[in-house]
Amino acid sequence: MIADRKRFEETGQELAELLDEEKLSGVPVLIFANKQDLLTAAPASEIAEGLNLHTIRDRMWQIQSCSALTGEGIQEGMNWVCKSVNSKKK
């Protein structure tokens, strides 16, 4: 997973460009930190740092540890999205 860590900077830049799109203004962002069932997986905190998520100030964001293989964390992430979208509508 070292290669994945090297891509954090590039991915973070691409995410920043997406979030600059006017159509996505204020839209909540959920990042799934997948493959957490693997010992070599980067922890969610490291991914958040690598993607510079702490610099996002104009919207709610969440990074959710998960494993698509086991399903762990998926429901929690989807629940967060639902709550965040509903609170934005109010």
Side-chain angles (χ1 to χ4, degrees), residues 47-78:
I47 296 169
E49 185 178 324
L51 298 178
N52 292 314
L53 297 182
H54 62 280
T55 64
I56 298 174
R57 303 270 188 237
D58 63 340
R59 69 191 75 227
M60 295 184 293
W61 63 268
Q62 170 80 5
I63 185 158
Q64 177 65 51
S65 297
C66 72
S67 168
L69 183 67
T70 67
E72 184 178 345
I74 303 293
Q75 189 63 51
E76 291 87 346
M78 297 309 294

Side-chain angles (χ1 to χ4, degrees), residues 5 7 9 27 32 36-37 41 49 51 68 72-73 84 90:
R5 287 179 172 90
R7 293 183 20 217
E9 184 178 339
V27 172
F32 278 113
Q36 294 301 304
D37 53 308
E49 185 178 324
L51 298 178
E72 184 178 345
S84 298
K90 294 179 182 179

